[in-house]
Amino acid sequence: MSNKYQVEESCSLLAFLLLKLDGMSRRKVKQRLQAGCIEVNGVSVTQANTVLQIGDGVEVLAKAKGPQAGPAPLEILYQDVDLIAIHKPAALLSVGAAKQGSRHALAVLRAQLSFKGSRQTVQLWPVHRLDRDTSGVMLFATSREIREAVADNWTDAEKTYLAIVEGKPEPSAGTIDQPLRMDFKGHRALIGQHPDAKHAVTHFKTLSVSRRRSLMEVKIETGRQHQIRAHFAWLGYTVVGDRRYGFADQRLGLHALRLEIPSPSGEGRLVFEATPPAGFSALLS
């Protein structure tokens, strides 16, 4: 048997559960969370610091449900009234056109956060995008105003990626400062001076090396489409699994590890980080 509650005041999920599950210890509540026994708006949630909004539905299950059909819920790294950061898996579009259906991060997250049974859809605006085959941190705003506030300070954002590349780059650290322009017919970035080319800067350093491949930390000053992939291909060390600039593999060796931005409130900075999935790390070996 399960118990259902409706949120009447914004608070963290843990605080809400401790209030509603009177008599249950903090340790027991966390155990129920980790066991998958808590659902918010019909989606299993395991993070105690998840922020609940007024009107959200919380269900405490007697036991976790088995696997369900449909898209797996996205991992929410951070959530407040203004911003939601997720860990976008590889092979999932960031956003999509109507003809592409609902299988993209924006649509999946909207469905995940919408109140179960409600006809109203949660409104979200993507702050930035990741390539389909890139995993990692992706940020959404809950209003146009917040998205614009973050975009206005985007040049102050710090974007850190992990890339697994073919070979052992020499030098082991450096900067690629090569302009890029998109050839939309071939859907690839072209490097070199051109009236349509845009400034693009990529910093890299080697973290570890295997027999044939290297794990790189990459920081980008600009966020051009295919920037990291095109820059490493130009350097002669293509990103592993990059069908467009190199060769296919189990997945693309590119992961958006960390995003740090000025808070839209103007108070300090926010940092979002996504642990690399096992499939990514396996590429190095």
Side-chain angles (χ1 to χ4, degrees):
M1 184 175 178
S2 65
N3 294 314
K4 298 181 179 180
Y5 308 96
Q6 191 162 21
V7 179
E8 297 177 351
E9 184 177 354
S10 180
C11 62
S12 72
L13 178 57
L14 180 59
F16 182 86
L17 292 173
L18 289 173
L19 178 65
K20 295 298 182 181
L21 303 179
D22 188 26
M24 186 176 290
S25 69
R26 190 183 189 91
R27 182 174 64 86
K28 286 283 188 182
V29 169
K30 286 189 172 183
Q31 287 176 346
R32 298 296 295 277
L33 271 167
Q34 293 168 1
C37 296
I38 310 299
E39 289 188 351
V40 178
N41 299 333
V43 176
S44 179
V45 176
T46 59
Q47 292 181 302
N49 63 349
T50 298
V51 178
L52 301 177
Q53 306 297 333
I54 296 173
D56 283 348
V58 178
E59 185 172 1
V60 181
L61 306 172
K63 61 180 182 179
K65 294 180 181 178
Q68 298 180 1
L74 297 169
E75 180 186 355
I76 295 177
L77 304 170
Y78 175 88
Q79 182 177 0
D80 63 19
V81 296
D82 294 326
L83 297 169
I84 300 174
I86 67 164
H87 182 171
K88 187 192 82 65
L92 180 66
L93 285 167
S94 294
V95 299
K99 65 180 180 180
Q100 293 169 315
S102 61
R103 191 58 183 150
H104 52 84
L106 176 59
V108 173
L109 185 59
R110 277 176 174 162
Q112 183 173 327
L113 297 176
S114 294
F115 183 73
K116 196 173 183 180
S118 172
R119 295 182 179 179
Q120 292 185 334
T121 302
V122 171
Q123 294 300 304
L124 296 170
W125 286 261
V127 173
H128 65 124
R129 302 185 185 191
L130 297 176
D131 290 343
R132 180 205 293 262
D133 295 322
T134 300
S135 58
V137 178
M138 184 175 173
L139 187 63
F140 294 87
T142 59
S143 70
R144 283 193 178 93
E145 293 76 15
I146 293 298
R147 182 184 65 178
E148 290 170 1
V150 176
D152 287 344
N153 294 303
W154 196 246
T155 54
D156 293 327
E158 294 184 10
K159 294 153 281 188
T160 304
Y161 289 74
L162 293 178
I164 297 176
V165 302
E166 302 286 2
K168 302 175 183 179
E170 293 292 342
S172 61
T175 296
I176 306 170
D177 186 353
Q178 290 291 328
L180 297 174
R181 61 186 171 94
M182 283 301 296
D183 172 16
F184 291 102
K185 186 176 181 179
H187 199 63
R188 58 185 290 123
L190 303 178
I191 292 182
Q193 296 297 330
H194 188 276
D196 297 331
K198 296 181 178 179
H199 180 58
V201 178
T202 301
H203 305 286
F204 66 91
K205 70 176 180 180
T206 303
L207 297 179
S208 63
V209 175
S210 67
R211 186 168 62 90
R212 296 184 297 109
R213 295 173 172 175
S214 301
L215 175 63
M216 316 298 295
E217 178 186 83
V218 183
K219 295 188 177 183
I220 56 176
E221 290 186 18
T222 51
R224 310 303 181 197
Q225 191 173 6
H226 291 191
Q227 176 174 324
I228 296 173
R229 298 162 61 184
H231 270 175
F232 272 106
W234 173 85
L235 197 64
Y237 306 94
T238 56
V239 175
V240 171
D242 193 340
R243 294 175 176 87
R244 196 165 303 278
Y245 300 93
F247 304 96
D249 207 298
Q250 295 299 315
R251 59 153 289 173
L252 181 68
L254 192 56
H255 177 76
L257 176 67
R258 185 182 306 108
L259 175 64
E260 181 177 341
I261 64 167
S263 171
S265 68
E267 299 179 2
R269 295 175 69 84
L270 298 173
V271 180
F272 318 105
E273 187 164 332
T275 301
F280 173 86
S281 303
L283 293 174
L284 190 60
S285 58

